[in-house]
Amino acid sequence: MRLHVGCAMWTHSPWQGRYLPHPLPPRERLKSYATWCNAVEGNTTFYATPSRSTVESWAEQTPPDFRFVVKLPRSITHERRLAGIDDELRAFLTAIEPLGPRNHALWVQLPGSFGPADLGALAGFLRRLPGAYRYAVEVRHRSFFEDERSERLLERVLADVGAEWIPFDTVTLFRDRPASDAERDAWTKKPRVPRRSRALTGRPIVRYLGRDDTARTVEGWRHWVETVTGWLREGRSPTVFVHTPDNAEALMLARRFHDDVRAELPEVEPLPEPVPAEPPTLF
């Protein structure tokens, strides 16, 4: 049984010298991260399509069973809203090709204004995509979570092409008033939608946002430990990304989530042993 876990990034200043060695040259940072987690969100591609040589470096730094969930550029999803994007999409797919099987899914994150009336555009876009990749869609319009008809229509569009629906679970964040600057900032930026935990495919993907307090983050993910354990028992291969508002402990928390699932299901394959942040001493 394979459970992939990871974070929103593979380099973060609070991790340096604490969880990951410091200093590290840029071409070794992902390699070090990959000893802690076996997946990562490809958020940087949202802002710009990387060069092919950059993506080749990502592949070289990670083992064959490492997985990327790579986000489509915002020019495709947010600016052009999936229309007239053939050239940009072609350039993006060419750039990420070196990931090969490490590319777990292409992540179509849609803006909050993309609602039920836009489902025709999404359906047409997904049908034109090459079949060599898996696809996962994240929506933020509240109608998809609160109106049963809109929810079913979206599920039908995704099911027609075998795409997954990525939930971004922010319930724990919004359960109580923010207690830190990072939480206050997250309150203004993160979507506040009901929790969704129904898988559409054999490879469900979850984004979970906790709190800056570790105990509250762990308490909030109990639902996901149970859900992910159930998916694994059904033969699914889930991927879970753990976020906190400041992400200072996210690397450790992703491993802890994996441990919590393995406590329920010991046959889940363990994660690799992390590279030490500091070299061992003689005494």
Side-chain angles (χ1 to χ4, degrees), residues 180-215:
S180 68
D181 288 342
E183 290 184 358
R184 280 184 280 275
D185 184 59
W187 262 55
T188 67
K189 296 178 179 177
K190 302 304 180 184
R192 189 184 303 210
V193 295
R195 176 184 289 144
R196 174 191 165 82
S197 52
R198 181 161 59 206
L200 300 182
T201 72
R203 293 177 173 84
I205 300 168
V206 174
R207 306 179 71 221
Y208 167 74
L209 175 60
R211 304 292 294 258
D212 287 334
D213 178 82
T214 293

Side-chain angles (χ1 to χ4, degrees), residues 35 62 129 227:
T35 69
T62 53
L129 293 173
T227 300

